[in-house]
Every structure is written in C-alpha cells, then in structure tokens.
Amino acid sequence: MIIFNKSLPLSLLTGTLMIGLAADYVAAADAKFVAKNCASCHVLTQPEKDTLQDYMSKKGPDLYYAGNKYRQAWLVKWLQNPQRIRPGGMFFANHTEVTDEGDIIKQSSLPDPVHVKLSKGDAQDSAAYLMTLTAKSDLLAEESYTPKKISKRMGAMNFSKFKGCSSCHRDRPDYGGVSGPELYTAAERLQANFMTSYIRNPQAWESKSLMPNRHLPDKGVSKLVDYLKLLEGK
Ligand code: HEC
Ligand code: HEC
C-alpha cells in the first residue's frame, strides 16, 4: 500500500511528461511538414514589412495569422478537396484581359489544379499547426461580433448597392467582381471576428490590400458580417 501510494504520483508525472513530449514531437513534425510543402507559396512568419511588389507577386495568401483567420474544420475539409476561392487568381491583374465586353479572366493562366491536395491525416495535422500561427491577436481582441437577424434582401442590397462590395467580391457564384475572394463561402471559411476586423481595417491585416477602408461604424461592419453569415451553406 505504501509503495503504491508513493509510486502513483511518480507514474502519473512521468505519464504526463511523456504525453507532453509526444505532443511537442508531433507539433514539431507538423511544423516541418508545412515548412517543407507550403512555404514556397505561403508566408508563415510575419514579415517586417510588406511592399507593393511583395503583394503583387504573392504566390498564395499569407498564413502567418492563420489561427486568427480560419475555422479549423474548414481548413481540414478544404485542404483535402481545395476549390478556387479567388476567381481572378492571387492578383487579378495578372490573370485578366481587357476586352470590349469588359475584363475577362484568362482561365488558362490560373493554376490547374487549383491547389495541392492533402490526405486526411496531413490535412488534419497541417490545420492543427496553422491554428497555432496567431500573429495580430491584438486586432481581434478589439472585436466582439454579436449576431443580429437581418433580411437577406436588405443584406444583399447593402452589400452590393450601398457599400459597393460586389464590385470586387461575389456574394453568389455567378454575380460580383473577381478581384477579391468569393464571399458566399466566407462564413464557412473565416472566423466571425476576423471578418469584422478585416472589413473595419483591411490594411491592418494586409498592408497593401486594394480593399478600401470605408471607416464604417461598428453597426455597419456587423451588418455586413450578418449578411455573410446568412450566406453560409448556400
Ligand atoms: C504552388 C503554390 C502553393 C503551395 C505549394 C501551397 N499553396 Fe496554399 N494556396 C496557394 C494559392 C494560389 C491559394 C489561393 C487559392 C484561391 O484563392 O483560389 C492558396 C490557398 C490556401 C489556403 C486558403 C487561404 C485563403 O485565405 O484563401 C490555405 C489554407 C492553404 N493554401 C494552405 C496550404 C498548405 C497547408 C500548403 C502546404 C501543404 C499549401 N497551401 C501549399 C498556393 C499554394
Ligand atoms: C476594390 C476592391 C474591393 C472592395 C470594394 C471590397 N473588397 Fe473586400 N477584399 C478585396 C481583396 C483584394 C481582398 C483579399 C485580400 C487583399 O488582397 O486585401 C479582400 C478581402 C476581404 C475579406 C477577407 C476575405 C478572405 O477570404 O480573406 C472580407 C471579409 C472582405 N474583403 C469583405 C468586403 C466587404 C464586406 C466589402 C464592402 C464593404 C469589401 N470587401 C469591399 C477587395 C475589395
């Protein structure tokens, strides 16, 4: 009995220690996998400064604040079955042609296939690692999005007519601009507080973003996110 009492805490301690070490080992392996397979196109550590040249030649979106941007479940799903998010590619001007009918996307210049596809295990591990990249947390600390019910019709009108978002973004697959990411999947992809923060001040996240800062009041920002949430799963 005495031996049991004494050895129990010790075995518990070594047990936790081993689990801790194993977790560190797994995390290091995930970091290595992502560095090896993803860093050629994605920035994984916060750069000191971002020039316009850097912005225009980005091969993929920055991932160094991925943990403050994406929903983990979406990452796991998308990495196994990636679909195009930016209809005009990373920088639309590199992929559009000016014609008499307006700008058209040169489909042949877009990467095909859309993205590397990961196995379920690699997708889960990469997503878990990406969620640990949490630069710019201070921006999210200022957000406190609380959902409100809005009508879809008013939301759509606000998005396209009043705020002009559809000149660059699509709120449905067949309507809207192509210079920004599609937004009918935004709520599935992105954390709500990231969306409010980005709409409030795009340049705080992407210093050279072409998206204008509209200096919207809290209510105006929330209304747009309410609308994007309404589109989830549509
Ligand atoms: C050859 C370049 C390339 C490589 C390698 C690459 N990506 Fe990407 N990635 C892209 C591009 C381009 C996009 C944008 C796709 C779009 O918008 O349609 C993207 C988009 C993403 C997105 C969605 C981001 C967003 O905000 O839209 C995630 C997450 C992602 N990549 C993760 C990874 C991971 C993890 C790896 C490594 C296993 C990886 N990528 C390797 C080019 C690459
Ligand atoms: C002049 C073009 C333009 C306009 C107008 C615009 N955006 Fe954007 N937006 C972009 C681009 C480009 C990005 C992608 C990141 C970047 O390069 O800044 C973006 C990114 C976003 C994102 C993050 C999406 C992601 O997947 O990373 C959200 C959310 C967003 N915009 C919402 C809006 C809303 C809401 C409006 C209307 C108030 C709007 N945008 C108006 C160009 C625009």
Side-chain angles (χ1 to χ4, degrees):
M1 262 329 221
I2 291 165
I3 292 169
F4 181 68
N5 274 343
K6 274 195 174 156
S7 65
L8 184 64
L10 189 67
S11 68
L12 264 181
L13 186 70
T14 40
T16 343
L17 204 68
M18 292 207 355
I19 291 166
L21 284 175
D24 285 351
Y25 178 76
V26 170
D30 294 346
K32 224 171 167 177
F33 177 88
V34 171
K36 179 160 174 259
N37 296 288
C38 321
S40 58
C41 298
H42 293 285
V43 175
L44 298 168
T45 42
Q46 185 160 11
E48 275 183 23
K49 64 176 174 43
D50 221 359
T51 65
L52 188 60
Q53 194 60 40
D54 294 335
Y55 178 74
M56 293 189 311
S57 56
K58 273 190 211 291
K59 293 205 184 102
D62 289 349
L63 293 179
Y64 65 86
Y65 51 80
N68 281 333
K69 175 172 181 182
Y70 304 107
R71 295 173 69 180
Q72 188 164 358
W74 173 80
L75 281 177
V76 173
K77 204 172 97 184
W78 188 84
L79 288 169
Q80 293 174 77
N81 184 20
Q83 309 285 326
R84 198 174 300 292
I85 296 166
R86 291 162 186 75
M90 272 310 291
F91 186 57
F92 73 102
N94 294 337
H95 301 282
T96 44
E97 225 165 6
V98 183
T99 71
D100 293 343
E101 282 89 51
D103 292 359
I104 53 166
I105 302 166
K106 282 184 284 180
Q107 291 293 344
S108 61
S109 77
L110 293 172
D112 181 24
V114 170
H115 199 261
V116 289
K117 228 180 202 172
L118 301 185
S119 69
K120 187 172 181 192
D122 286 343
Q124 284 169 333
D125 294 348
S126 302
Y129 171 68
L130 291 177
M131 294 309 288
T132 67
L133 305 180
T134 52
K136 305 194 187 228
S137 292
D138 50 322
L139 295 173
L140 290 192
E142 294 165 20
E143 300 295 330
S144 57
Y145 167 72
T146 10
K148 285 232 169 62
K149 264 214 156 89
I150 57 157
S151 101
K152 189 160 173 205
R153 211 170 62 89
M154 280 311 289
M157 194 132 74
N158 184 37
F159 182 87
S160 63
K161 298 264 174 352
F162 304 151
K163 301 297 187 317
C165 312
S166 25
S167 56
C168 301
H169 293 286
R170 295 187 170 181
D171 60 348
R172 46 185 194 263
D174 56 352
Y175 179 77
V178 296
S179 57
E182 64 185 30
L183 292 184
Y184 48 94
T185 56
E188 190 195 351
R189 292 186 284 116
L190 308 171
Q191 296 171 28
N193 280 342
F194 172 81
M195 292 193 279
T196 56
S197 179
Y198 200 95
I199 294 168
R200 193 185 302 286
N201 186 357
Q203 287 71 27
W205 292 94
E206 171 69 76
S207 66
K208 303 294 173 202
S209 181
L210 301 179
M211 175 162 153
N213 182 336
R214 302 285 308 268
H215 301 282
L216 296 170
D218 285 349
K219 225 171 131 190
V221 171
S222 299
K223 248 192 211 161
L224 287 162
V225 175
D226 288 336
Y227 176 59
L228 297 179
K229 298 277 281 181
L230 205 60
L231 302 176
E232 191 176 352
K234 297 270 153 49

